[in-house]
Amino acid sequence: MKPSMREFEKWITTLICAKTGAANELQCCHIRMGELAGIGRKPEAIGNCVPLHWLQHRKQHDRGERQFWGDDLAGAKELAARLGEIWGQGGERERAIGAIINFRAGR
């Protein structure tokens, strides 16, 4: 049976914040840039989400994705895709956290 998007979103919140590295109060942040999703519509979660601390998630919504991520937007989309791949391969939390650490180090 294919895991649900809700299960994926819950898993995302067990990782670390893609912006700050915080490990608590995380939310599943959808990356919408380049997707066909409109305002108020979320793209498919798997492969399009990264974990953000709730304050960072709020900033992302207040500023808009392009301004919030800046030069990191392409990297954030790549991270989201990588997290989707890891989830699809069994969801090994340590690998996912490693991917986030690598993303943060490359900024």
Side-chain angles (χ1 to χ4, degrees):
M1 172 186 272
K2 185 176 179 181
S4 73
M5 285 194 309
R6 292 233 188 263
E7 290 171 309
F8 174 76
E9 291 172 343
K10 184 176 178 180
W11 175 77
I12 283 286
T13 66
T14 70
L15 304 175
I16 62 173
C17 177
K19 273 286 202 182
T20 68
N24 61 349
E25 301 186 52
L26 299 176
Q27 296 180 344
C28 180
C29 171
H30 292 80
I31 305 290
R32 301 168 199 242
M33 295 300 296
E35 297 296 320
L36 298 177
I39 294 174
R41 292 182 51 212
K42 295 178 183 176
E44 165 96 17
I46 300 172
N48 289 302
C49 290
V50 297
L52 286 181
H53 184 272
W54 74 269
L55 286 172
Q56 296 298 315
H57 196 185
R58 171 68 57 103
K59 287 179 185 179
Q60 186 233 13
H61 282 284
D62 290 348
R63 295 180 185 167
E65 284 186 10
R66 195 174 306 278
Q67 184 178 358
F68 177 79
W69 290 107
D71 292 339
D72 289 338
L73 181 58
K77 288 184 68 66
E78 289 174 16
L79 174 62
R82 180 73 183 121
L83 294 175
E85 288 173 14
I86 293 169
W87 172 254
Q89 297 167 354
E92 187 182 333
R93 186 172 179 270
E94 292 76 21
R95 280 181 58 211
I97 289 173
I100 296 167
I101 290 169
N102 288 340
F103 165 74
R104 295 188 68 245
R107 292 194 281 149

